[in-house]
Amino acid sequence: MTEPVIFDRQPAVLDLEPGTYFWCSCGQSENQPFCDGQHKGTGLAPVKFVVEAAKKAALCNCKYSKNQPFCDGSHSSLA
Ligand code: FES
């Protein structure tokens, strides 16, 4: 399996409106933290998630969270 590229070692803290989102899991999108289709050929795929009510969320930017698409602090233990 292809390993994701680390985009950043801190989460993207965003105010999300209700809707459907596609979080970039490969780290190569130019529209972080969301998918822009650049994962093609990597074997990785975006993670779809739905926001029911407006909220602030910390989305994973290192791509190694165990709670994708949300930050779980994994960025602090990456080599
Ligand atoms: Fe990274 Fe789509 S561009 S998952």
Side-chain angles (χ1 to χ4, degrees):
M1 186 185 114
T2 306
E3 296 294 322
V5 173
I6 297 171
F7 173 70
D8 201 357
R9 292 171 187 264
Q10 57 186 359
V13 180
L14 302 174
D15 291 309
L16 297 176
E17 296 299 321
T20 301
Y21 296 87
F22 292 87
W23 173 79
C24 169
S25 69
C26 75
Q28 298 186 57
S29 171
E30 293 178 7
N31 186 36
Q32 294 291 340
F34 304 109
C35 174
D36 72 353
Q38 298 211 35
H39 59 271
K40 286 194 175 67
T42 66
L44 298 170
V47 173
K48 179 182 175 182
F49 67 103
V50 176
V51 173
E52 301 288 353
K55 67 174 182 177
K56 187 180 288 287
L59 298 179
C60 172
N61 265 340
C62 76
K63 313 304 177 183
Y64 282 86
S65 173
K66 302 285 190 296
N67 185 36
Q68 296 174 357
F70 305 105
C71 174
D72 71 350
S74 289
H75 58 269
S76 60
S77 57
L78 293 175

